[in-house]
Amino acid sequence: MCLPSSSTLKLYDESTRKAAPGTLLDALHRRHSSRTFSPQELSLRHLSRIMWAANGVNRADGHHTSPSAMGLDTLRIYAILQKGVYLYHPESDELEEIAAGDFRGMAGGQDFVCSAPLNIAIYADYSSFVTGNPEVDQSLAGHENQMAALDAGASAQNIYLYCASEGIHVVERMMMDGKAFAEAFALPSTYHFQVAMTVGYAE
């Protein structure tokens, strides 16, 4: 069908359409932020799929669920659970414990952060913005902030959409002291905090 020649293009009103359950459109309809969480621990199935949605490997060639500027895969994603802090390894689909204990209070200033079962801290490793091509790398220099934000935003939206599809509550946050967290767990100085997220079941 050809598009009309008018200067205004009327689009389908998706906000009032009912999407088929289990589809991406259905998840988009149900995507929202929530700030109330049950303290109930997430199931291993849900925890696994949340982390995989964030930045897991989804193809045989090693590429990921979330896009990355220049394909450089700069994100470093931490899961902060009641029992410890973990670094997500997409290639092996594992959480590596970097500290035992309940550090959820370091994940943000809001009250719900300390009792929700999962907080996620997304960092970008600025030392990974290197292709090995001097001309390309020169053009990338100075644009690390924009590229990191682009990557982190895509990862955060993946988490939102998976949670929407499963009826899990989630909210993205900037109220986290990323520098203090990095210092506490000896993260490399090239790691720059991007965004935090809190995830859990409904109360």
Side-chain angles (χ1 to χ4, degrees), residues 101-113:
D102 189 353
F103 297 95
R104 289 176 294 176
M106 295 191 68
Q110 298 95 326
D111 292 341
F112 57 77
V113 169

Side-chain angles (χ1 to χ4, degrees), residues 104-123:
R104 289 176 294 176
M106 295 191 68
Q110 298 95 326
D111 292 341
F112 57 77
V113 169
C114 295
S115 58
L118 170 64
N119 289 283
I120 296 172
I122 301 178
Y123 284 75

